[in-house]
């Protein structure tokens, strides 16, 4: 199970190295026809998220810093599980390594 931390403001969280702070999209709690879905049906995290903040990058084997491949505001595809959970009030955010992000979603 991933560690969880609680903060008063998401602005106080600054990712280090190649870490990426994201907020997953929330699953719909009702269908298009207006039927409310039970919590158990919406418990699986959605694979899409919005990038909130990124670290400066991590050094490669030569010591050169390789920047992260995403930037704040990007929509990304995440693995089904993983990351470190961060709670800010009722909002939940996750920290992933840049290499764990599966894809950037182009609009």
């Amino acid at each position: 199970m991933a560690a969880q931390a609680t903060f008063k403001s998401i602005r106080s969280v600054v990712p280090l190295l190649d870490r990426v702070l994201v907020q997953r999209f929330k699953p719909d709690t009702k269908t298009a026809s207006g039927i409310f879905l039970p919590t158990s049906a919406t418990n699986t995290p959605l694979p899409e998220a919005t990038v909130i903040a990124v670290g400066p990058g991590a050094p490669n084997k030569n010591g050169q810093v390789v920047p992260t491949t995403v930037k704040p505001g990007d929509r990304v595809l995440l693995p089904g599980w993983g990351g470190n959970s961060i709670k800010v009030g009722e909002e939940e955010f996750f920290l992933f390594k840049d290499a764990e992000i599966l894809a950037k979603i182009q609009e």
Side-chain angles (χ1 to χ4, degrees):
M1 183 166 179
Q4 185 165 333
T6 304
F7 298 91
K8 292 183 180 181
S9 167
I10 197 59
R11 289 201 168 119
S12 65
V13 180
V14 178
L16 299 177
L17 299 172
D18 62 343
R19 302 297 195 288
V20 178
L21 181 68
V22 300
Q23 184 173 31
R24 288 183 185 268
F25 291 164
K26 292 186 169 54
D28 288 331
T29 55
K30 67 179 183 176
T31 64
S33 59
I35 298 172
F36 283 93
L37 300 170
T39 305
S40 61
T42 60
N43 233 5
T44 305
L46 292 177
E48 289 184 45
T50 301
V51 175
I52 305 300
V54 299
N60 63 15
K61 64 182 179 180
N62 298 327
Q64 297 170 320
V65 174
V66 178
T68 55
T69 56
V70 295
K71 63 184 183 320
D74 284 349
R75 286 181 54 201
V76 294
L77 188 63
L78 300 173
W81 302 99
N84 289 75
S85 176
I86 298 172
K87 278 272 217 198
V88 179
E90 294 299 310
E91 297 291 318
E92 189 171 25
F93 300 85
F94 292 87
L95 273 170
F96 282 89
K97 281 191 162 194
D98 187 45
E100 294 173 337
I101 295 174
L102 302 176
K104 190 158 97 170
I105 301 170
Q106 302 279 343
E107 294 188 33

